[in-house]
Structures are given as C-alpha cells and as structure tokens.
Amino acid sequence: MALVNAVALIHLLGCAPPVCTEDPPGAFYQLAPDQRSAAYVDAETFANVFSWLQQADDRDVSFSCLVDRFTNAFDNDVDMLVLVLHLGGQEFLERSSTRIIANFTAAQRVFESGIGDVPKPVVAPVGPSTMRSYSVIGAREGLLAGPLLHELAHGWSAYLTGPDALTSQIRRTPTSHWGFSSVGGVLGGWAPDSLEQLDDGLFRACSPTEVEPFSPSGYASNTVPFAPLELYLMGLIAAEEVPDIQIAVNPQLAGPVSTCASFTADEIVSVSIADIVGENGARSPGPADAQRHFDLGLVILAETTLSAGDWQYYQQVVSCLESTEACEIEVQALGAANSTPFYPLTFHDATGGRATLRFVELDPIAPPLGPASLPE
Ligand SMILES: [Zn+2]
C-alpha cells in the first residue's frame, strides 16, 4: 500500500498583494523550443518560492507578482496558469526542512453562477482577465503524476454554500474539499458505495484510488477521475446526472488510515443535487453552453537555464497531459519513490472525454526575453 504522506495540498483563495512589481536583476524568461512553456530563470526567486512553499504564512514572497510578471511578458489570454518548480520530488524532500512537497491553487475569478462562494472570492484578482485560477506545483513530477488534476479542479470546487452538512465538510481545514462524503472525486471523499456501518455510530469507507489512502482533503495522484458533482460544477454534466451524496455529521477518524478508514459520526445524512441547486442556484451556463476547452500557460520556475534534455522532458509532459488518448508515460506518486507505478489520467480522461486542455504557444510581448532559448 502506497501512502502519499509527503504531499500537501493546500487550497488558497487569496494571496498577499503583489510585493515585487519589477523583475529582480538578472531574471529572465527562457522560452521552450516549441514555445509551449517558458522558464522563469532566477535563483533568488526560486529560493524564495521554495521557502514560501514550506511556510505558507510567509507573506514576504508573493505568488501574485509572479503571475503579474507572466501577464507583463506574454500576450496570452489563458484560462489557467500553472507554475512549477524545476526540481525533482526527491530533491525537494531532501532540501526541505518540512519534508513535505506543497502544492496549491489560488482561484482568482468566477465566470459562472451556482458553484458557491465558500470562502469568499479574492478582492483583487491577478493575471489575464480570462484567468480562472493559478496553481503552483512544488516538484516537476507533480504535473504528470499529480496533483495537477486536483489543482485544476479547484477552479470550480469546492465552494458550495449549502446544504449545511456539505458546507461543514467543505469548511474543514484545508478548506474546499469534500471531506467525509461520498463525492469520491479528486477533491476528496470516499468511493461511492464503499460506506459500511460497523457499529452504532461507527463507519468504514474506502478511497476511490488504490494509489492513495482514504482522504477527506482530496487525492494528489492523477488517478482519480472527476466525480459527478465535480463534473457538474465544471459545467460538463447535467444536474440530473449527479447521484445523491452521503455525508458524515461530526466525523472523527477512529484508527489508522489506509485504503479504507474507520470513523465515528453522529449520523450519515443524504443530500440531493436538488438540495444543492436549491441552496446555490443552478450551475449556469449548463452543459450545453459551458466551456469545454481550456488554454493553460506553463511557467517553470528555475534556478538556472534549462538544458535541451530538460525541455524534452517538459515537451513530453505537455503532450501527455493534453492528449485525448492514453498517456503512456509510467509514473509514481509524487514524493513516494517506492510506490506502485501507474499510467496517469489525462485531463480529457478525468472528464470522461467531455473536455480538453492545451498548453498554449506563448506569445512574448517584447522579445528578447533573455539569453538564447536552447543552450547546446
Ligand atoms: Zn486541494
């Protein structure tokens, strides 16, 4: 059993205001040979980001300014921006004081109604006006192995403002996950139909993936397809396709957690999609008109210039993630070097073939962006 305990999934709706309005001296963008990603090369920025990821309350470095720099450098109206540290997962763990690889998403704009607003949206969003969210991935394997799919899901979830039983799970720390519920998607909960009652007030339920233990705060590996409720909130399926959701009231873990976990609860209540629509309004636009293709920007935060081999790696990753066929690169869960290898789900796979993404060809506003893009 592989336990992914070295990966932290933090969800943040806001960030400190930008504190760095100008590029540090010597910082530059290096464009990928195919222009579908760019490295932001600056040792100081890299060190700051690495430090920030280990101390989430450190506001000295703001991710908002990195997003501002992207907006100033590229003329691309992306839907989501992905910032990834150019660092291997094991290397992250070796260099880290906390020995936890942190990842997070900051949702910036809401373009639809009916998806809730817990916690409240940010006041001063950053990035292109089209940008829904930006995600920071702590180590490069996190793109393909996950938690990229988990982080992308935070563009829409989980912000529902009712019913109370569901929202009390969403408000658990870290916020905006499905908690002890049968949603069983990339943002947490148990596999539907896995709930058993063991005794009066004692229950047992199981993870939707063999790669990770049961988790109320979501799954990091790119192995869990988006659940019906997640697909509904993304606008990809109709309300009628979302099954009733079982939710534990006042749940407490009761024993060790592996693929399955025991927990106590006052009771299990059931919430229907009609209850959710009644509290939040209908998701609009619905599946007939909702966006089904998403443009992503990819920025690699690097200490030094990337090599031809590095670019080849990112080109493979990008092709795999946006593929509408199977991704045939075998990976292991981020931060778990001895775990069972798996073939990751692509975004298209995770949506059940309902939506696609593409990493856009970046369009520099004012070349040159620094030294030549491809050192020999
Ligand atoms: Zn999360």
Side-chain angles (χ1 to χ4, degrees), residues 40-43 46-47 86-87 91 95 301-306:
Y40 187 75
V41 184
D42 180 52
F46 182 94
H86 182 56
L87 189 63
E91 201 182 348
R95 287 166 64 164
L301 303 171
E303 291 176 289
T304 56
T305 311
L306 269 61

Side-chain angles (χ1 to χ4, degrees), residues 48-208:
N48 286 341
V49 169
F50 186 69
S51 161
W52 194 92
L53 282 173
Q54 295 170 83
Q55 306 173 34
D57 57 346
D58 180 358
R59 298 294 185 183
D60 292 335
V61 173
S62 163
F63 283 103
S64 297
C65 66
L66 294 176
V67 178
D68 279 345
R69 287 178 197 157
F70 172 85
T71 315
N72 293 336
F74 298 101
D75 190 16
N76 288 96
D77 290 333
V78 297
D79 297 302
M80 280 92 99
L81 183 64
V82 177
L83 304 158
V84 61
L85 274 189
H86 182 56
L87 189 63
Q90 287 308 314
E91 201 182 348
F92 187 112
L93 292 172
E94 282 160 21
R95 287 166 64 164
S96 157
S97 55
T98 58
R99 297 194 57 78
I100 292 172
I101 304 171
N103 307 273
F104 77 93
T105 291
Q108 297 290 292
R109 293 175 187 79
V110 175
F111 298 109
E112 52 279 297
S113 54
I115 69 168
D117 63 354
V118 175
K120 294 291 180 196
V122 285
V123 176
V126 295
S129 61
T130 52
M131 194 185 81
R132 173 180 302 279
S133 60
Y134 70 86
S135 300
V136 179
I137 305 293
R140 61 180 165 245
E141 297 99 312
L143 296 172
L144 213 49
L148 183 64
L149 294 178
H150 173 117
E151 299 304 339
L152 296 181
H154 278 311
W156 299 265
S157 299
Y159 312 120
L160 290 168
T161 45
D164 289 347
L166 184 56
T167 302
S168 70
Q169 291 303 302
I170 289 170
R171 287 187 184 280
R172 291 172 62 91
T173 302
T175 57
S176 297
H177 299 94
W178 301 121
F180 287 77
S181 76
S182 68
V183 175
V186 70
L187 298 186
W190 59 73
D193 304 327
S194 71
L195 180 69
E196 291 174 76
Q197 182 156 7
L198 301 177
D199 202 344
D200 192 22
L202 183 65
F203 303 88
R204 181 179 185 268
C206 303
S207 167

Side-chain angles (χ1 to χ4, degrees), residues 102-357:
N103 307 273
F104 77 93
T105 291
Q108 297 290 292
R109 293 175 187 79
V110 175
F111 298 109
E112 52 279 297
S113 54
I115 69 168
D117 63 354
V118 175
K120 294 291 180 196
V122 285
V123 176
V126 295
S129 61
T130 52
M131 194 185 81
R132 173 180 302 279
S133 60
Y134 70 86
S135 300
V136 179
I137 305 293
R140 61 180 165 245
E141 297 99 312
L143 296 172
L144 213 49
L148 183 64
L149 294 178
H150 173 117
E151 299 304 339
L152 296 181
H154 278 311
W156 299 265
S157 299
Y159 312 120
L160 290 168
T161 45
D164 289 347
L166 184 56
T167 302
S168 70
Q169 291 303 302
I170 289 170
R171 287 187 184 280
R172 291 172 62 91
T173 302
T175 57
S176 297
H177 299 94
W178 301 121
F180 287 77
S181 76
S182 68
V183 175
V186 70
L187 298 186
W190 59 73
D193 304 327
S194 71
L195 180 69
E196 291 174 76
Q197 182 156 7
L198 301 177
D199 202 344
D200 192 22
L202 183 65
F203 303 88
R204 181 179 185 268
C206 303
S207 167
T209 173
E210 291 180 359
V211 172
E212 290 177 81
F214 166 73
S215 170
S217 54
Y219 301 95
S221 65
N222 287 348
T223 59
V224 183
F226 300 126
L229 182 58
E230 291 165 345
L231 292 171
Y232 164 77
L233 293 167
M234 293 166 82
L236 298 178
I237 65 172
E240 301 76 55
E241 295 178 73
V242 181
D244 288 355
I245 292 156
Q246 281 72 52
I247 302 162
V249 177
N250 292 326
Q252 296 283 344
L253 284 171
V257 174
S258 62
T259 302
C260 301
S262 300
F263 60 91
T264 59
D266 294 349
E267 60 177 325
I268 303 287
V269 298
S270 183
V271 161
S272 71
I273 191 67
D275 298 330
I276 291 171
V277 172
E279 297 269 355
N280 297 274
R283 202 281 187 196
S284 179
D289 303 308
Q291 186 175 358
R292 284 178 182 259
H293 173 80
F294 300 94
D295 282 343
L296 270 62
L298 177 59
V299 173
I300 299 152
L301 303 171
E303 291 176 289
T304 56
T305 311
L306 269 61
S307 69
D310 293 329
W311 287 123
Q312 199 173 16
Y313 171 79
Y314 286 108
Q315 285 177 349
Q316 281 181 343
V317 167
V318 160
S319 301
C320 210
L321 286 168
E322 64 185 19
S323 173
T324 54
E325 299 181 4
C327 175
E328 292 178 353
I329 301 179
E330 205 171 40
V331 296
Q332 291 188 316
L334 182 61
N338 299 318
S339 65
T340 311
F342 61 90
Y343 292 100
L345 291 178
T346 66
F347 180 77
H348 182 256
D349 290 336
T351 64
R354 295 174 177 89
T356 52
L357 62 74

Side-chain angles (χ1 to χ4, degrees), residues 31-37 70 74-78 295-298 322 358-364:
L31 264 181
D34 63 359
Q35 295 197 213
R36 299 213 302 155
S37 61
F70 172 85
F74 298 101
D75 190 16
N76 288 96
D77 290 333
V78 297
D295 282 343
L296 270 62
L298 177 59
E322 64 185 19
R358 187 176 62 104
F359 288 88
V360 295
E361 214 169 275
L362 293 171
D363 182 13

